Amino acid sequence: MADQPFSIALHRFPGGIALKLEGDLNKSAETKLLDGFEGEAELGKSIRFLTIDLTKVDYINSGGMAVLIRLARMGSKAGVHTFAWGITPHYEKLFRMVGLTEYMMIYPNEFAVMQRIEALGQ
Amino acid sequence: MEMTGYMLLRRLLLVYGIVLLGGLIILQADTMLVAPSASAGLRIPQLGNLAFALVMALVIAGYSAWRMRPVLKELDQQNGKDCTGLTSGALLRLYRMPYELLISSAVIGVLYSIVYHAETAPNNDTWLQLLGQVAGEQSLFISLAIVLFTTTRRLFRPVMRLQQLPDQFDGRTSIAQPIVLTYACTMLVTLLSLLQLTFTTAKTGATIDPYKLGLIASFYFIMSIALFSYVTMQFRQELRGLIRGIRGLVAGQGLPSGALPAILHDEAGELAVAYNELQIRINREYESLERELKMAYNVQQKLLPPGDLTIGAYRITARCQSYREVGGDFFDVVSLSPNRFAVMIGDVSGKGLPAALIMSAQLLIFRSEIRRNGSPSEVLARMNRQLCEAMGEEGSVSIGVGVIDLTTNEVQYASAGHLSPYIIAQDGRVQAVECSSLPIGIDPDATYEEICFEFNNRDRFLLYTDGLIEAVNQAGQMYSFDGLEAELASWQPEEDLTQTVDNWLARMDHECGAGMDDRTVVVLELAGEYRSSLASAATFDNPFMTREWAMRSKLGDEKLIALKLGDWMKERWPNTDIYEDVQSAVCEAMINAIEHGNKMQPNAYVNVIAQIGGMLMVCRIYDEGGGFYPKLSRDEDEMRKKLESEDPRGWGLVMIDTLADYWTTGRDERGFYTELYFMRKSHSVSEAEAEAEAEAGAEQAAQKGV
């Protein structure tokens, strides 16, 4: 499988932002992924949830994990809950290994994440 | 024929006789013209004149024999032996003799005039007549002296051997001195003749017959011209001989040591000696250079591997014939691992010593590079970079490299501007393997095409250099690709490979001679029967299988190698699922190699060597850097700090540490490496671990209340 370019699709939903990532997640994804959030004034106010769909991401290296950590920690500091789904057991193991699961909750699918968000919203 | 003392003496006597006789004839003519009244000239009767000339010749010859005793003695002694030339004393006598004759003749002339005219009491009328007679006598004697001088010099020339002379010889041996002396004497003769004419015709009151005066003047003019011409001819002949001698030296004939030519010790002779010395020195230098070239040839031959080799199921026959003492062709066969080897052929542009130096360097660089990474195209790229850096655009080398897997008989082949190799199948089919790129040493960023193919049983694979194709036979026809293909098609598979190659090259030598370029051939033969036994043995005897990959330092490319490694693992260890762990850990090690080892330099390479055994997998990741010290803290606080830092980096090593069962770093001849070890684990174990981890994760999440 050749090198997959990284791309990101963003849409908003009531109370949060949903990111759909595609391609290889490595250090080069940093700019694309973080730039939109660093200037976001609504973080922690109207935006309380961040969901990340990793279904289309099949390669994540340490650089990519560092980016995810920064993103999740940035949200955590602003009071935003970060959720992710679509991760293989292998990467879930790696996320746990590097401590990413402290800031980002892993769920098996989008439905479970939305259920949890709904529960937290109530 | 060698000249003896007796021969020299006899010739001298002959010369003296002829000269004196000539003198008498001139005297007679002079007397008849100037003083028919017999009142002038040497008043000696005709017969008496002849007797006098004979006696004088004998006297002078006796004098010469007495003065030249050492010369005559040495000539007699050296006759019939290897002559090494006369001694300095004898040479000195030889050089002095013509001068002594010149002076003696002049002195005898003066004495003669004094004795002959002593009793004559001149009065006013006869005074001028007497002076005219004396001038005529002196003129005659000096003329004879000049003729004697130049003739004896010519006579002595053959016995004057070329040898080192003492300094005092310089003036006498110079060609300037005899020229000046003889021309001065000739001028004097002319003046004296003029005086004689003037005085003898200046009788008081006598009328001068203009016809007679003109006749006498013409006689003296002719005499003077004859003398001048004779002297000039002598020197001209002498100079011509010397110039011939020098031309002989320039043409490379040199001076034969046993029979030295007759070169006088004058300026031209010295020049000839100096030239000869120069030539001897050049010859000595050339011999020394030739010796060194022969040594260089020996060194070059020792650098090359043996011409007949067997590696696994392959027989290899290689021959490298240099056109000169040293050449620019080279080949190599390198064993890379128990089941892989590389074969290479190269041709440096140009010939002689510069090509030989580049060849030696390239051969050593190839050996070093091919061991770092088995991929031919990457090896060529690295060699190219090094050659471009070292030589600029001054040296290009064509190289063909093949890496052969002994277990599968697969060949990876890449060529940098080298001639297409041939595969000769068992049934006689000849097929060119088309694959070529630029020679190395031209463009530092060049990339090299690589192709893969597989050998069949009894296939032969030929690599060669252009010296073979460009060989020209006696009819002027080039050997060419057609000739080569026809030759290869005629090879008999049952004939011994070495025999086939040697016969072929011997035929080439016979038909085309040594040619104008180096000729190198490398032929591989896959001996089928042996291969099968090796293949079966390899399964049992070599539990570790090795594979290698290489990539340039570009982040993202590590994934491609990780995928290949994962596929291979699935194939080798089908009942485990640690391949993802291995892939991630190896990827992280490769990223470290790119970032920390190679400092992100795009031309630097990362090599991965993986070995998979029954229960253990070992993976080494090499970089081209100076090495780095891996800092890893397992302390929880440290981990937390890292996690909470603004730029949380350094997870790669954490992942390697966690995913691999053991890891270490080190350095060997290929460079710095990180080595990872993975134990084989069954599904059940890993699944149980995963379940336990999942449970732990759920508990952790529940505790946080998320």
Side-chain angles (χ1 to χ4, degrees), chain A residues 1-2 4 24 27 59 61-62 66 69-70 73 77 90 93-94 97-98 102-103 105 107 116, chain B residues 558-560 563 580-581 584 587-588 591 595 640 643-646 648-649 651 658 693 705-706:
Chain A
M1 194 192 300
Q4 301 290 313
D24 294 346
K27 208 167 77 173
Y59 175 68
N61 64 23
S62 60
I69 291 169
R70 281 190 67 180
R73 215 159 55 84
K77 274 185 181 174
H90 170 68
K93 184 169 81 178
L94 295 186
M97 190 188 299
V98 299
E102 290 199 19
Y103 305 102
M105 297 305 111
Y107 283 83
R116 187 65 194 157
Chain B
E558 75 279 358
K559 185 182 137 190
L560 302 174
L563 286 171
E580 284 184 311
D581 290 357
S584 285
C587 272
E588 294 307 322
I591 291 168
E595 289 185 338
R640 180 150 293 282
L643 199 60
E644 291 176 358
S645 70
E646 278 304 307
R649 284 169 186 264
W651 295 111
T658 315
E693 281 170 359
V706 181

Side-chain angles (χ1 to χ4, degrees), chain B residues 67 69 73 104 126 179 366 409 419 474 515 586 607 654 678 684 694 704:
Chain B
R67 288 293 294 155
R69 279 189 323 274
K73 195 176 163 189
S104 306
T126 56
I179 287 177
F366 171 75
N409 292 319
L419 298 168
Q474 285 157 358
V586 171
N607 298 311
V654 175
F678 301 92
S684 55
K704 287 180 185 284

Side-chain angles (χ1 to χ4, degrees), chain A residues 26-31 34 61-70 73 98, chain B residues 555 588 591-592 595-596 600 631-633 638-655:
Chain A
N26 52 37
K27 208 167 77 173
S28 62
E30 188 171 18
T31 322
L34 295 181
N61 64 23
S62 60
M65 280 180 218
V67 176
L68 287 179
I69 291 169
R70 281 190 67 180
R73 215 159 55 84
V98 299
Chain B
L555 285 173
E588 294 307 322
I591 291 168
N592 276 347
E595 289 185 338
H596 306 300
M600 301 291 288
K631 286 181 199 159
L632 175 71
S633 172
E638 287 290 322
M639 288 282 278
R640 180 150 293 282
K641 275 186 195 166
K642 188 199 287 278
L643 199 60
E644 291 176 358
S645 70
E646 278 304 307
D647 188 11
R649 284 169 186 264
W651 295 111
L653 215 51
V654 175
M655 285 166 65

